[in-house]
Amino acid sequence: MTNLLKAEVNRWFSRRLWWAMLLGAVALAALVLVGMAAGYSPQTPAQIAQAERDYADAVKQAEQDRQDCLDDGQPAEDCEAWVPERADFVQVPPTYPMLVEIGAQTATLISELAALLVAASFMGAEFKSGSLATWLTYVPRRVPVFVSKALVAGGGSALLGVIVQAIVQAGVLLLGWLWLGPGGLHGAGAEWTVVGRGIVATIAAGLIGLCLATLFGSTIAPVAALLGAVVVQWVAGLITLLIGAAPWMIRLLPDNNLNAFVSGHFETSYYEIGPSGAEIERQVEIGLGQASLYLGCLLVAAVASALWSFTRREVR
């Protein structure tokens, strides 16, 4: 088994796609930090003072518009217009926990996609080139071969996730230091668990890519599955708009469960028609336990199916 692992590790790191995706993920992580620096930069004292003046002017203008409407003889309900709020003008300064969580979620999305593509190519290329048949000639026991490939795909995906998360969190730490000072870099204990779960999700994405490539003998299959998941999510959203959402549909969507797992909690709302004909807002929540069970079952099913296929299919 040790020799198998060594061979697979060498093959993983000798692939150009691995290095290309790693560099691409690092570049995207840098862009994320640039976006966070532009989007969450606290307002300067001068900007806050100007925002306060703009807010006061907007309040006066809204009140004047309402009074003009009433003076024209319009009903009071028709004269209710947009009421300015201070938060529309004066931004709430970011907190370090908020920056950590946003960075972790974005880094997870980047590393998941990269891990899925690399792991899918890692297995799919062997079917396409025919090297797998040669490899199985020397090592006819297929279970150890599959396990070694899965371990290396999982380990390589974990490394990818750690690198991307480390870069993003290092940038977040720098932004927090500049914006909040050393005293503001605290309170992110719960948010750091998002980083850990993001790495776990990246490992799972790599294994899913490997398993789909094994099942269909192609690198294209995982990409098609990813696009299919996007289409399913879009169709579900369309159904929600046309006939209303069903709680079971929301709870069964993989994307919602993935968000719940990484973030630790997912909550959304939908509307249904009540007995009186009025719309009633309902809440749907997905907890970490439910999401872990859901995604764990999907991963076990994918690995079991891929292992069954790998041990029984004819490889040429």
Side-chain angles (χ1 to χ4, degrees):
M1 189 66 179
T2 302
N3 291 331
L4 283 174
L5 287 173
K6 288 181 180 179
E8 297 298 344
V9 167
N10 290 333
R11 203 171 70 81
W12 177 276
F13 289 106
S14 65
R15 294 188 58 78
R16 286 179 292 180
L17 181 63
W18 153 255
W19 296 104
M21 293 303 296
L22 178 61
L23 291 176
V26 169
L28 285 177
L31 289 177
V32 167
L33 292 172
V34 172
M36 292 182 68
Y40 296 99
S41 176
Q43 292 174 309
T44 64
Q47 290 174 329
I48 293 176
Q50 181 60 49
E52 293 284 9
R53 291 192 292 269
D54 293 340
Y55 169 61
D57 293 341
V59 170
K60 292 179 181 178
Q61 185 61 50
E63 183 59 32
Q64 183 62 48
D65 292 342
R66 180 177 181 278
Q67 189 60 48
D68 292 342
C69 179
L70 293 174
D71 293 342
D72 290 340
Q74 299 295 328
E77 58 271 15
D78 293 343
C79 295
E80 296 297 333
W82 169 65
V83 179
E85 296 183 4
R86 185 175 181 274
D88 297 327
F89 298 86
V90 181
Q91 299 177 6
V92 177
T95 63
Y96 183 60
M98 182 188 76
L99 294 175
V100 170
E101 183 172 6
I102 293 173
Q105 291 173 343
T106 310
T108 298
L109 181 62
I110 295 171
S111 54
E112 281 177 333
L113 179 59
L116 186 142
L117 294 176
V118 174
S121 174
F122 177 66
M123 177 61 84
E126 289 205 77
F127 285 100
K128 182 178 179 180
S129 64
S131 61
L132 183 59
T134 304
W135 185 237
L136 291 177
T137 301
Y138 291 98
V139 188
R141 294 177 300 165
R142 296 193 177 196
V143 172
V145 171
F146 179 83
V147 171
S148 65
K149 293 180 182 297
L151 289 175
V152 171
S157 300
L159 178 60
L160 178 62
V162 168
I163 292 173
V164 175
Q165 293 282 0
I167 292 173
V168 171
Q169 292 305 323
V172 165
L173 182 64
L174 177 60
L175 293 177
W177 182 280
L178 295 174
W179 294 344
L180 309 173
L185 304 178
H186 59 81
E191 285 71 22
W192 277 102
T193 63
V194 179
V195 177
R197 289 194 297 270
I199 295 174
V200 173
T202 302
I203 296 172
L207 291 176
I208 289 293
L210 180 86
C211 291
L212 290 176
T214 302
L215 283 169
F216 297 98
S218 170
T219 305
I220 301 299
V223 179
L226 182 62
L227 294 176
V230 173
V231 171
V232 169
Q233 195 82 13
W234 179 81
V235 171
L238 183 62
I239 293 174
T240 298
L241 292 175
L242 295 178
I243 63 175
W248 62 267
M249 181 191 302
I250 296 175
R251 291 193 177 94
L252 286 180
L253 288 176
D255 186 55
N256 293 341
N257 283 273
L258 182 59
N259 288 333
F261 175 78
V262 175
S263 301
H265 178 77
F266 176 81
E267 181 176 340
T268 188
S269 60
Y270 69 98
Y271 294 88
E272 64 180 20
I273 305 301
S276 62
E279 288 188 341
I280 302 175
E281 184 177 7
R282 304 290 189 188
Q283 298 290 329
V284 176
E285 298 182 6
I286 301 177
L288 178 59
Q290 176 186 331
S292 300
L293 179 62
Y294 176 95
L295 297 175
C297 290
L298 284 182
L299 182 60
V300 169
V303 172
S305 300
L307 179 59
W308 179 87
S309 175
F310 188 78
T311 56
R312 284 164 173 76
R313 72 184 301 168
E314 181 180 356
V315 177
R316 297 180 180 179

